[in-house]
Amino acid sequence: MRTGNEPSTARSPLRMRLWLSLWGMVWALFGLVAFVATGRAGWAAACGVLLVITVTDLCVVVHRLRQGPHYQPGRDIPPYEPDRGGRGRYRR
């Protein structure tokens, strides 16, 4: 929801998520290889699951980065009226 007080230089955290995903992927892969080499199957499985999660996150981030910027209303568009706590369409 747009409140009207967003900074004009706001940036997406996707690039930070990209680097954190890469960092996590490297460490999960290192842990997987190290634990398989030492014969610790439980820890290797945990690192394998973590590796799958980081690769999935990396794919999502790359997909969203390739989508490009989305429409953002300019300064001439007034902010949305805040929810005053009234009974909305989907509230119970």
Side-chain angles (χ1 to χ4, degrees):
M1 180 160 119
R2 185 168 178 267
T3 60
N5 61 354
E6 296 89 2
S8 60
T9 59
R11 306 187 119 211
S12 170
L14 286 176
R15 295 221 187 267
M16 181 179 66
R17 259 180 73 189
L18 174 79
W19 290 110
L20 288 173
S21 292
L22 286 171
W23 184 251
M25 187 178 67
V26 167
W27 278 105
L29 185 62
F30 173 75
L32 178 66
V33 170
F35 287 125
V36 165
T38 58
R40 300 200 178 221
W43 285 104
C47 286
V49 169
L50 189 60
L51 183 63
V52 169
I53 292 170
T54 57
V55 168
T56 303
D57 185 48
L58 185 66
C59 291
V60 169
V61 168
V62 168
H63 171 72
R64 289 186 180 170
L65 280 172
R66 287 188 178 184
Q67 282 181 333
H70 295 274
Y71 169 74
Q72 295 293 319
R75 290 186 181 270
D76 56 335
I77 307 293
Y80 297 125
E81 286 294 322
D83 184 17
R84 305 276 186 222
R87 189 169 172 92
R89 184 174 171 182
Y90 296 107
R91 283 196 170 173
R92 291 187 177 200

Coordinates of all heavy atoms in Angstrom, one line a residue:
M1 N 0.8 -1.2 0.0 CA 0.0 0.0 0.0 C 0.9 1.2 0.0 O 1.8 1.3 0.7 CB -0.9 0.0 1.2 CG -1.8 1.2 1.3 SD -3.2 0.8 2.4 CE -2.9 2.0 3.6
R2 N 0.6 2.2 -0.8 CA 1.4 3.4 -0.9 C 0.8 4.4 0.1 O -0.3 4.7 0.1 CB 1.2 3.9 -2.4 CG 2.1 5.1 -2.6 CD 2.1 5.4 -4.1 NE 2.9 6.6 -4.3 CZ 2.4 7.8 -4.4 NH1 1.1 8.0 -4.3 NH2 3.2 8.8 -4.6
T3 N 1.7 4.9 0.9 CA 1.3 5.9 1.9 C 1.7 7.3 1.5 O 1.2 8.3 2.2 CB 2.0 5.6 3.3 OG1 3.4 5.6 3.1 CG2 1.6 4.2 3.8
G4 N 2.6 7.5 0.6 CA 2.9 8.8 0.1 C 4.2 9.4 0.8 O 4.7 10.4 0.4
N5 N 4.8 8.7 1.7 CA 6.0 9.1 2.4 C 7.2 8.3 2.0 O 8.2 8.2 2.7 CB 5.8 9.2 3.9 CG 5.5 7.9 4.5 OD1 5.3 6.9 3.8 ND2 5.5 7.9 5.8
E6 N 7.1 7.5 0.9 CA 8.2 6.7 0.5 C 9.3 7.6 0.0 O 9.1 8.6 -0.7 CB 7.8 5.7 -0.6 CG 6.7 4.7 -0.2 CD 5.3 5.2 -0.4 OE1 5.1 6.3 -0.9 OE2 4.4 4.5 -0.1
P7 N 10.6 7.2 0.2 CA 11.7 8.0 -0.3 C 11.7 7.9 -1.9 O 11.4 6.9 -2.4 CB 12.9 7.4 0.3 CG 12.5 6.1 0.8 CD 11.0 6.1 1.0
S8 N 12.1 9.0 -2.5 CA 12.1 9.0 -4.0 C 13.3 8.2 -4.5 O 13.4 7.8 -5.7 CB 12.2 10.4 -4.5 OG 13.4 11.0 -4.0
T9 N 14.3 7.9 -3.6 CA 15.4 7.1 -4.1 C 15.4 5.7 -3.5 O 16.4 5.0 -3.4 CB 16.7 7.8 -3.5 OG1 16.7 7.8 -2.1 CG2 16.9 9.1 -4.1
A10 N 14.2 5.1 -3.2 CA 14.1 3.8 -2.7 C 14.6 2.8 -3.7 O 14.4 2.9 -4.9 CB 12.6 3.5 -2.3
R11 N 15.3 1.8 -3.2 CA 15.9 0.8 -4.1 C 15.4 -0.6 -3.7 O 15.0 -0.8 -2.5 CB 17.4 0.8 -4.0 CG 17.9 2.2 -4.3 CD 19.4 2.2 -4.4 NE 19.6 2.6 -5.8 CZ 20.7 2.3 -6.5 NH1 21.5 1.5 -6.0 NH2 20.8 2.7 -7.7
S12 N 15.4 -1.5 -4.6 CA 14.9 -2.8 -4.4 C 16.0 -3.6 -3.7 O 17.2 -3.5 -4.0 CB 14.6 -3.5 -5.7 OG 14.4 -4.9 -5.5
P13 N 15.6 -4.5 -2.7 CA 16.6 -5.3 -2.0 C 17.0 -6.6 -2.8 O 17.7 -7.5 -2.3 CB 15.9 -5.7 -0.7 CG 14.5 -5.7 -1.1 CD 14.3 -4.6 -2.1
L14 N 16.7 -6.6 -4.1 CA 16.9 -7.8 -4.9 C 18.4 -8.1 -5.1 O 18.9 -9.2 -5.1 CB 16.2 -7.8 -6.2 CG 14.7 -8.0 -6.1 CD1 14.1 -7.8 -7.5 CD2 14.4 -9.4 -5.6
R15 N 19.2 -7.0 -5.3 CA 20.6 -7.2 -5.5 C 21.3 -7.7 -4.3 O 22.2 -8.6 -4.3 CB 21.3 -5.9 -6.0 CG 20.8 -5.5 -7.3 CD 21.9 -5.0 -8.2 NE 21.4 -4.4 -9.4 CZ 21.3 -5.1 -10.6 NH1 21.6 -6.4 -10.6 NH2 20.8 -4.6 -11.6
M16 N 20.9 -7.3 -3.1 CA 21.4 -7.8 -1.9 C 21.0 -9.2 -1.7 O 21.9 -10.0 -1.3 CB 20.9 -6.9 -0.7 CG 21.4 -7.4 0.7 SD 20.9 -6.4 2.0 CE 19.1 -6.8 2.1
R17 N 19.8 -9.6 -2.0 CA 19.3 -11.0 -1.9 C 20.1 -11.9 -2.9 O 20.4 -13.0 -2.6 CB 17.9 -11.1 -2.2 CG 17.0 -11.2 -1.0 CD 15.6 -11.3 -1.3 NE 15.2 -12.6 -1.9 CZ 14.0 -12.9 -2.4 NH1 13.1 -12.0 -2.5 NH2 13.7 -14.1 -2.9
L18 N 20.5 -11.3 -4.0 CA 21.3 -12.1 -5.0 C 22.6 -12.4 -4.4 O 23.0 -13.6 -4.5 CB 21.5 -11.2 -6.3 CG 22.4 -11.8 -7.3 CD1 21.6 -12.9 -8.1 CD2 22.9 -10.8 -8.3
W19 N 23.3 -11.5 -3.8 CA 24.6 -11.7 -3.3 C 24.5 -12.6 -2.0 O 25.4 -13.5 -1.8 CB 25.4 -10.4 -3.0 CG 25.8 -9.7 -4.2 CD1 25.2 -8.6 -4.7 CD2 26.7 -10.2 -5.2 NE1 25.8 -8.3 -6.0 CE2 26.7 -9.3 -6.3 CE3 27.5 -11.3 -5.3 CZ2 27.6 -9.4 -7.4 CZ3 28.4 -11.4 -6.4 CH2 28.4 -10.5 -7.4
L20 N 23.5 -12.4 -1.2 CA 23.4 -13.3 -0.1 C 23.0 -14.7 -0.5 O 23.5 -15.7 0.1 CB 22.3 -12.8 0.9 CG 22.6 -11.5 1.7 CD1 21.4 -11.0 2.4 CD2 23.8 -11.8 2.6
S21 N 22.3 -14.9 -1.5 CA 22.0 -16.2 -2.1 C 23.2 -16.9 -2.6 O 23.4 -18.1 -2.4 CB 20.9 -16.2 -3.2 OG 19.7 -15.8 -2.7
L22 N 24.0 -16.1 -3.3 CA 25.3 -16.7 -3.8 C 26.2 -17.1 -2.7 O 26.8 -18.2 -2.7 CB 26.0 -15.7 -4.8 CG 25.3 -15.5 -6.1 CD1 26.0 -14.3 -6.8 CD2 25.5 -16.8 -6.9
W23 N 26.3 -16.2 -1.7 CA 27.1 -16.5 -0.5 C 26.6 -17.8 0.2 O 27.4 -18.7 0.6 CB 27.2 -15.3 0.4 CG 28.0 -15.5 1.6 CD1 27.6 -15.6 2.9 CD2 29.5 -15.4 1.6 NE1 28.7 -15.7 3.7 CE2 29.9 -15.6 3.0 CE3 30.4 -15.3 0.6 CZ2 31.2 -15.6 3.3 CZ3 31.8 -15.4 1.0 CH2 32.1 -15.5 2.4
G24 N 25.3 -17.9 0.4 CA 24.8 -19.1 1.0 C 24.9 -20.3 0.2 O 25.2 -21.4 0.7
M25 N 24.8 -20.2 -1.1 CA 25.0 -21.3 -2.0 C 26.4 -21.8 -1.9 O 26.7 -23.1 -1.8 CB 24.7 -20.9 -3.4 CG 24.7 -22.1 -4.4 SD 24.2 -21.7 -6.0 CE 25.6 -20.6 -6.5
V26 N 27.4 -21.0 -1.9 CA 28.8 -21.4 -1.8 C 29.1 -22.1 -0.5 O 29.7 -23.2 -0.5 CB 29.7 -20.1 -1.9 CG1 31.2 -20.5 -1.5 CG2 29.7 -19.6 -3.3
W27 N 28.6 -21.6 0.6 CA 28.8 -22.2 1.9 C 28.0 -23.5 2.0 O 28.5 -24.5 2.6 CB 28.4 -21.3 3.1 CG 29.6 -20.4 3.4 CD1 29.6 -19.0 3.0 CD2 30.8 -20.7 4.0 NE1 30.8 -18.5 3.4 CE2 31.6 -19.5 4.0 CE3 31.3 -21.9 4.5 CZ2 32.9 -19.5 4.6 CZ3 32.6 -21.8 5.1 CH2 33.3 -20.6 5.1
A28 N 26.8 -23.6 1.5 CA 26.0 -24.8 1.6 C 26.7 -25.9 0.7 O 26.8 -27.1 1.1 CB 24.6 -24.6 1.1
L29 N 27.2 -25.5 -0.4 CA 27.9 -26.5 -1.3 C 29.2 -27.0 -0.6 O 29.5 -28.2 -0.6 CB 28.3 -25.9 -2.6 CG 28.9 -26.7 -3.7 CD1 28.0 -27.9 -4.0 CD2 29.2 -26.0 -4.9
F30 N 29.9 -26.1 0.0 CA 31.2 -26.4 0.7 C 30.8 -27.4 1.9 O 31.5 -28.4 2.1 CB 31.8 -25.1 1.3 CG 33.0 -25.4 2.2 CD1 34.2 -25.9 1.7 CD2 32.9 -25.3 3.6 CE1 35.3 -26.2 2.5 CE2 33.9 -25.6 4.4 CZ 35.1 -26.0 3.9
G31 N 29.8 -27.1 2.6 CA 29.4 -27.9 3.7 C 28.9 -29.3 3.3 O 29.3 -30.3 3.9
L32 N 28.2 -29.3 2.1 CA 27.7 -30.6 1.6 C 28.9 -31.5 1.2 O 29.0 -32.6 1.6 CB 26.9 -30.3 0.4 CG 26.3 -31.6 -0.4 CD1 25.4 -32.3 0.5 CD2 25.7 -31.1 -1.7
V33 N 29.9 -30.9 0.5 CA 31.1 -31.6 0.1 C 31.9 -32.1 1.3 O 32.3 -33.3 1.4 CB 31.9 -30.8 -0.9 CG1 33.3 -31.5 -1.2 CG2 31.2 -30.6 -2.2
A34 N 32.1 -31.2 2.2 CA 32.9 -31.5 3.4 C 32.2 -32.6 4.3 O 32.9 -33.6 4.7 CB 33.1 -30.3 4.3
F35 N 30.9 -32.6 4.5 CA 30.2 -33.6 5.3 C 30.1 -34.9 4.5 O 30.1 -36.0 5.2 CB 28.9 -33.1 5.8 CG 29.0 -32.0 6.8 CD1 28.4 -30.8 6.7 CD2 29.7 -32.3 8.0 CE1 28.5 -29.8 7.7 CE2 29.8 -31.3 9.0 CZ 29.2 -30.1 8.8
V36 N 30.0 -34.9 3.2 CA 30.0 -36.1 2.5 C 31.3 -36.8 2.6 O 31.5 -38.0 2.7 CB 29.5 -35.9 1.0 CG1 29.9 -37.1 0.1 CG2 28.1 -35.6 0.9
A37 N 32.4 -36.0 2.5 CA 33.8 -36.5 2.6 C 34.1 -37.1 3.9 O 34.8 -38.1 4.0 CB 34.8 -35.4 2.2
T38 N 33.5 -36.5 5.0 CA 33.8 -37.1 6.3 C 32.8 -38.1 6.8 O 32.9 -38.7 7.8 CB 33.8 -35.9 7.4 OG1 32.5 -35.3 7.3 CG2 34.9 -34.9 7.1
G39 N 31.8 -38.4 5.9 CA 30.8 -39.5 6.2 C 29.7 -39.1 7.2 O 29.1 -39.9 7.9
R40 N 29.4 -37.8 7.3 CA 28.3 -37.4 8.2 C 27.1 -37.1 7.4 O 26.9 -36.0 6.8 CB 28.7 -36.1 8.9 CG 29.9 -36.4 9.8 CD 30.1 -35.4 10.8 NE 31.2 -35.7 11.6 CZ 31.2 -35.5 12.9 NH1 30.2 -35.2 13.6 NH2 32.3 -35.8 13.6
A41 N 26.2 -38.1 7.3 CA 25.1 -38.1 6.3 C 24.0 -37.1 6.8 O 23.4 -36.4 5.9 CB 24.5 -39.5 6.2
G42 N 23.8 -37.0 8.1 CA 22.8 -36.1 8.5 C 23.1 -34.6 8.2 O 22.2 -33.9 7.7
W43 N 24.3 -34.2 8.5 CA 24.7 -32.9 8.2 C 24.8 -32.6 6.7 O 24.5 -31.5 6.2 CB 26.1 -32.6 8.9 CG 26.0 -32.4 10.3 CD1 26.3 -33.2 11.3 CD2 25.4 -31.2 11.0 NE1 26.0 -32.7 12.5 CE2 25.5 -31.5 12.4 CE3 24.9 -30.0 10.6 CZ2 25.0 -30.5 13.3 CZ3 24.5 -29.1 11.5 CH2 24.5 -29.4 12.8
A44 N 25.2 -33.6 6.0 CA 25.3 -33.5 4.5 C 23.9 -33.3 4.0 O 23.7 -32.5 3.0 CB 25.9 -34.7 3.9
A45 N 22.9 -34.0 4.5 CA 21.5 -33.9 4.1 C 21.0 -32.5 4.4 O 20.3 -31.8 3.6 CB 20.6 -34.9 4.7
A46 N 21.3 -32.0 5.6 CA 20.9 -30.6 6.0 C 21.5 -29.6 5.0 O 20.9 -28.6 4.6 CB 21.3 -30.3 7.4
C47 N 22.8 -29.7 4.7 CA 23.4 -28.8 3.7 C 22.8 -28.9 2.3 O 22.7 -28.0 1.6 CB 24.9 -29.0 3.7 SG 25.8 -28.4 5.2
G48 N 22.4 -30.2 2.0 CA 21.8 -30.4 0.7 C 20.5 -29.6 0.6 O 20.1 -29.0 -0.4
V49 N 19.7 -29.7 1.7 CA 18.4 -29.0 1.7 C 18.6 -27.5 1.6 O 17.9 -26.8 0.9 CB 17.6 -29.4 3.0 CG1 16.4 -28.5 3.2 CG2 17.2 -30.9 2.9
L50 N 19.6 -27.0 2.4 CA 19.9 -25.6 2.4 C 20.4 -25.2 1.0 O 20.1 -24.1 0.5 CB 21.0 -25.3 3.4 CG 21.3 -23.8 3.7 CD1 20.1 -23.1 4.1 CD2 22.4 -23.7 4.7
L51 N 21.1 -26.0 0.3 CA 21.6 -25.7 -1.0 C 20.4 -25.6 -2.0 O 20.4 -24.7 -2.8 CB 22.6 -26.8 -1.5 CG 23.2 -26.6 -2.9 CD1 24.0 -25.4 -2.9 CD2 24.0 -27.8 -3.3
V52 N 19.4 -26.5 -1.9 CA 18.3 -26.4 -2.7 C 17.5 -25.1 -2.5 O 17.0 -24.5 -3.4 CB 17.4 -27.7 -2.5 CG1 16.0 -27.5 -3.2 CG2 18.0 -28.9 -3.0
I53 N 17.4 -24.7 -1.2 CA 16.6 -23.5 -0.9 C 17.4 -22.3 -1.4 O 16.7 -21.4 -2.0 CB 16.5 -23.4 0.7 CG1 15.5 -24.5 1.1 CG2 16.0 -22.0 1.1 CD1 15.4 -24.6 2.7
T54 N 18.7 -22.2 -1.3 CA 19.4 -21.1 -1.8 C 19.4 -21.0 -3.3 O 19.3 -19.9 -3.9 CB 20.9 -21.1 -1.3 OG1 21.5 -22.3 -1.7 CG2 20.9 -20.9 0.2
V55 N 19.5 -22.2 -4.0 CA 19.4 -22.1 -5.5 C 18.0 -21.7 -5.9 O 17.9 -20.9 -6.9 CB 19.8 -23.5 -6.0 CG1 19.5 -23.6 -7.5 CG2 21.3 -23.8 -5.8
T56 N 17.0 -22.2 -5.2 CA 15.6 -21.7 -5.6 C 15.5 -20.2 -5.4 O 14.9 -19.5 -6.3 CB 14.6 -22.5 -4.7 OG1 14.8 -23.9 -4.9 CG2 13.2 -22.1 -5.1
D57 N 16.0 -19.7 -4.3 CA 15.9 -18.3 -4.0 C 16.7 -17.5 -5.1 O 16.3 -16.5 -5.6 CB 16.4 -17.9 -2.6 CG 16.3 -16.5 -2.3 OD1 15.2 -15.9 -2.5 OD2 17.3 -15.9 -1.8
L58 N 17.8 -18.0 -5.5 CA 18.7 -17.4 -6.5 C 17.9 -17.3 -7.8 O 17.9 -16.3 -8.5 CB 20.0 -18.1 -6.7 CG 21.0 -17.5 -7.6 CD1 21.5 -16.2 -7.1 CD2 22.1 -18.5 -7.8
C59 N 17.2 -18.4 -8.2 CA 16.4 -18.4 -9.4 C 15.3 -17.4 -9.4 O 15.0 -16.7 -10.4 CB 15.9 -19.8 -9.7 SG 17.1 -21.0 -10.1
V60 N 14.6 -17.3 -8.2 CA 13.5 -16.3 -8.1 C 14.1 -14.9 -8.2 O 13.5 -14.0 -8.9 CB 12.8 -16.5 -6.8 CG1 11.9 -15.4 -6.4 CG2 12.0 -17.8 -6.8
V61 N 15.2 -14.6 -7.6 CA 15.8 -13.3 -7.6 C 16.2 -12.9 -9.0 O 15.9 -11.8 -9.5 CB 16.9 -13.2 -6.6 CG1 17.7 -11.9 -6.8 CG2 16.5 -13.2 -5.2
V62 N 16.8 -13.8 -9.7 CA 17.3 -13.5 -11.1 C 16.1 -13.3 -12.0 O 16.1 -12.4 -12.8 CB 18.2 -14.7 -11.6 CG1 18.4 -14.6 -13.1 CG2 19.5 -14.7 -10.9
H63 N 15.0 -14.1 -11.8 CA 13.8 -13.9 -12.6 C 13.2 -12.5 -12.3 O 12.8 -11.8 -13.3 CB 12.8 -15.0 -12.2 CG 11.4 -14.8 -12.8 ND1 11.2 -14.9 -14.2 CD2 10.3 -14.4 -12.3 CE1 9.9 -14.6 -14.4 NE2 9.3 -14.3 -13.3
R64 N 13.1 -12.1 -11.1 CA 12.6 -10.8 -10.8 C 13.5 -9.7 -11.3 O 13.0 -8.6 -11.7 CB 12.3 -10.7 -9.3 CG 11.2 -11.5 -8.9 CD 10.8 -11.3 -7.4 NE 9.7 -12.2 -7.1 CZ 9.3 -12.4 -5.8 NH1 9.9 -11.8 -4.8 NH2 8.3 -13.1 -5.6
L65 N 14.8 -9.8 -11.2 CA 15.7 -8.8 -11.7 C 15.5 -8.7 -13.2 O 15.6 -7.5 -13.8 CB 17.1 -9.1 -11.4 CG 17.6 -8.8 -10.0 CD1 19.0 -9.4 -9.7 CD2 17.5 -7.3 -9.7
R66 N 15.3 -9.8 -13.9 CA 15.2 -9.7 -15.4 C 13.8 -9.1 -15.8 O 13.7 -8.7 -16.9 CB 15.3 -11.1 -16.0 CG 16.7 -11.5 -16.0 CD 16.9 -12.8 -16.7 NE 18.3 -13.2 -16.7 CZ 18.8 -14.2 -17.4 NH1 18.0 -15.0 -18.1 NH2 20.1 -14.5 -17.3
Q67 N 12.8 -9.1 -14.9 CA 11.5 -8.5 -15.2 C 11.7 -7.0 -15.4 O 10.9 -6.4 -16.1 CB 10.5 -8.8 -14.1 CG 9.9 -10.1 -14.1 CD 8.9 -10.3 -13.0 OE1 9.0 -9.7 -12.0 NE2 8.0 -11.2 -13.3
G68 N 12.6 -6.4 -14.7 CA 12.8 -5.0 -14.8 C 12.0 -4.2 -13.8 O 11.2 -4.8 -13.1
P69 N 12.1 -2.9 -13.9 CA 11.3 -2.1 -13.0 C 9.8 -2.1 -13.3 O 9.4 -2.2 -14.5 CB 11.9 -0.7 -13.1 CG 12.5 -0.7 -14.5 CD 13.0 -2.1 -14.7
H70 N 9.0 -2.0 -12.3 CA 7.6 -2.0 -12.5 C 7.1 -0.6 -12.3 O 7.7 0.3 -11.8 CB 6.9 -2.9 -11.5 CG 7.2 -4.4 -11.7 ND1 6.6 -5.2 -12.6 CD2 8.2 -5.1 -11.2 CE1 7.1 -6.4 -12.6 NE2 8.1 -6.4 -11.7
Y71 N 5.9 -0.4 -12.7 CA 5.3 1.0 -12.6 C 5.2 1.4 -11.2 O 4.7 0.7 -10.3 CB 3.9 1.0 -13.3 CG 3.1 2.3 -13.0 CD1 3.5 3.4 -13.6 CD2 2.1 2.3 -12.0 CE1 2.8 4.6 -13.4 CE2 1.5 3.5 -11.7 CZ 1.8 4.6 -12.4 OH 1.1 5.8 -12.1
Q72 N 5.6 2.6 -10.9 CA 5.5 3.3 -9.6 C 4.8 4.6 -9.9 O 5.3 5.4 -10.8 CB 6.8 3.5 -9.0 CG 7.5 2.2 -8.6 CD 6.8 1.4 -7.5 OE1 6.3 2.0 -6.6 NE2 6.7 0.1 -7.7
P73 N 3.8 5.0 -9.2 CA 3.2 6.3 -9.4 C 4.1 7.4 -9.0 O 5.0 7.3 -8.2 CB 2.0 6.2 -8.4 CG 2.2 5.1 -7.5 CD 3.2 4.2 -8.1
G74 N 4.0 8.5 -9.8 CA 4.8 9.6 -9.6 C 4.3 10.6 -8.5 O 3.4 10.3 -7.8
R75 N 5.0 11.7 -8.4 CA 4.7 12.7 -7.3 C 3.3 13.3 -7.6 O 2.7 13.8 -6.6 CB 5.7 13.8 -7.3 CG 7.0 13.3 -6.8 CD 8.0 14.5 -6.6 NE 9.3 14.1 -6.2 CZ 9.6 14.0 -4.9 NH1 8.7 14.3 -4.0 NH2 10.8 13.7 -4.5
D76 N 2.8 13.3 -8.8 CA 1.5 13.9 -9.1 C 0.3 13.0 -8.7 O -0.8 13.4 -8.7 CB 1.4 14.3 -10.5 CG 1.6 13.1 -11.5 OD1 2.3 12.1 -11.0 OD2 1.1 13.1 -12.6
I77 N 0.6 11.7 -8.3 CA -0.5 10.8 -7.9 C -0.6 10.9 -6.4 O 0.4 10.7 -5.7 CB -0.1 9.4 -8.3 CG1 0.2 9.3 -9.8 CG2 -1.2 8.4 -7.9 CD1 -1.0 9.6 -10.7
P78 N -1.7 11.2 -5.8 CA -1.8 11.4 -4.4 C -1.8 10.0 -3.7 O -2.1 9.0 -4.3 CB -3.2 12.0 -4.2 CG -4.0 11.7 -5.4 CD -3.0 11.6 -6.5
P79 N -1.4 9.9 -2.5 CA -1.3 8.6 -1.8 C -2.7 8.1 -1.5 O -3.7 8.8 -1.5 CB -0.6 9.0 -0.4 CG -0.8 10.4 -0.2 CD -0.9 11.0 -1.6
Y80 N -2.7 6.8 -1.3 CA -4.0 6.1 -1.0 C -4.5 6.6 0.3 O -3.7 6.9 1.2 CB -3.9 4.6 -1.0 CG -3.4 4.0 -2.3 CD1 -2.3 3.2 -2.4 CD2 -4.2 4.2 -3.5 CE1 -1.9 2.7 -3.6 CE2 -3.8 3.7 -4.7 CZ -2.7 2.9 -4.7 OH -2.3 2.4 -5.9
E81 N -5.8 6.6 0.5 CA -6.3 6.9 1.8 C -6.0 5.7 2.8 O -6.2 4.6 2.4 CB -7.8 7.1 1.7 CG -8.2 8.4 1.1 CD -7.8 9.6 1.9 OE1 -7.9 9.5 3.2 OE2 -7.4 10.6 1.3
P82 N -5.6 6.0 4.0 CA -5.3 5.0 4.9 C -6.6 4.3 5.4 O -7.6 4.8 5.4 CB -4.6 5.7 6.1 CG -5.0 7.1 6.0 CD -5.2 7.3 4.5
D83 N -6.4 3.0 5.7 CA -7.5 2.2 6.3 C -7.9 2.8 7.6 O -7.1 2.8 8.5 CB -7.1 0.8 6.3 CG -8.3 -0.1 6.8 OD1 -9.4 0.3 6.7 OD2 -8.0 -1.3 7.2
R84 N -9.1 3.2 7.8 CA -9.6 3.8 9.0 C -10.2 2.7 10.0 O -10.8 3.1 11.0 CB -10.6 4.9 8.8 CG -10.2 5.9 7.8 CD -9.4 7.0 8.6 NE -9.1 8.1 7.7 CZ -7.9 8.7 7.6 NH1 -6.9 8.3 8.4 NH2 -7.7 9.6 6.8
G85 N -10.0 1.5 9.6 CA -10.5 0.4 10.5 C -11.9 0.1 10.3 O -12.5 -0.7 11.0
G86 N -12.5 0.6 9.2 CA -13.9 0.3 8.9 C -14.1 -1.1 8.4 O -13.1 -1.8 8.1
R87 N -15.3 -1.5 8.3 CA -15.5 -2.8 7.8 C -15.3 -2.9 6.3 O -15.9 -2.2 5.5 CB -17.0 -3.2 8.1 CG -17.3 -4.6 7.8 CD -18.6 -5.0 8.4 NE -19.0 -6.3 7.9 CZ -18.8 -7.4 8.6 NH1 -18.1 -7.3 9.8 NH2 -19.1 -8.6 8.2
G88 N -14.2 -3.6 5.9 CA -13.9 -3.7 4.5 C -14.6 -4.8 3.8 O -15.5 -5.5 4.3
R89 N -14.3 -5.0 2.6 CA -14.9 -6.0 1.7 C -14.7 -7.4 2.2 O -15.5 -8.2 2.1 CB -14.4 -5.8 0.3 CG -15.1 -6.6 -0.7 CD -14.7 -6.2 -2.1 NE -15.1 -7.2 -3.1 CZ -14.9 -7.1 -4.3 NH1 -14.1 -6.2 -4.8 NH2 -15.3 -8.0 -5.2
Y90 N -13.4 -7.7 2.6 CA -13.1 -9.0 3.0 C -12.9 -9.2 4.5 O -12.4 -10.2 4.9 CB -11.8 -9.4 2.2 CG -11.9 -9.4 0.8 CD1 -11.4 -8.5 0.0 CD2 -12.7 -10.4 0.1 CE1 -11.5 -8.5 -1.4 CE2 -12.8 -10.5 -1.2 CZ -12.3 -9.5 -2.0 OH -12.4 -9.5 -3.3
R91 N -13.2 -8.3 5.2 CA -13.1 -8.4 6.7 C -14.3 -9.1 7.3 O -15.4 -9.0 6.8 CB -13.0 -7.0 7.3 CG -11.6 -6.4 7.1 CD -11.5 -5.3 8.1 NE -10.1 -4.9 8.1 CZ -9.6 -3.9 8.7 NH1 -10.4 -3.2 9.4 NH2 -8.4 -3.6 8.7
R92 N -14.0 -9.8 8.4 CA -15.1 -10.4 9.1 C -15.2 -9.9 10.5 O -14.3 -9.5 11.1 CB -14.8 -11.9 9.2 CG -14.9 -12.5 7.8 CD -14.8 -14.0 7.9 NE -15.1 -14.5 6.6 CZ -15.4 -15.7 6.4 NH1 -15.6 -16.6 7.3 NH2 -15.6 -16.1 5.2

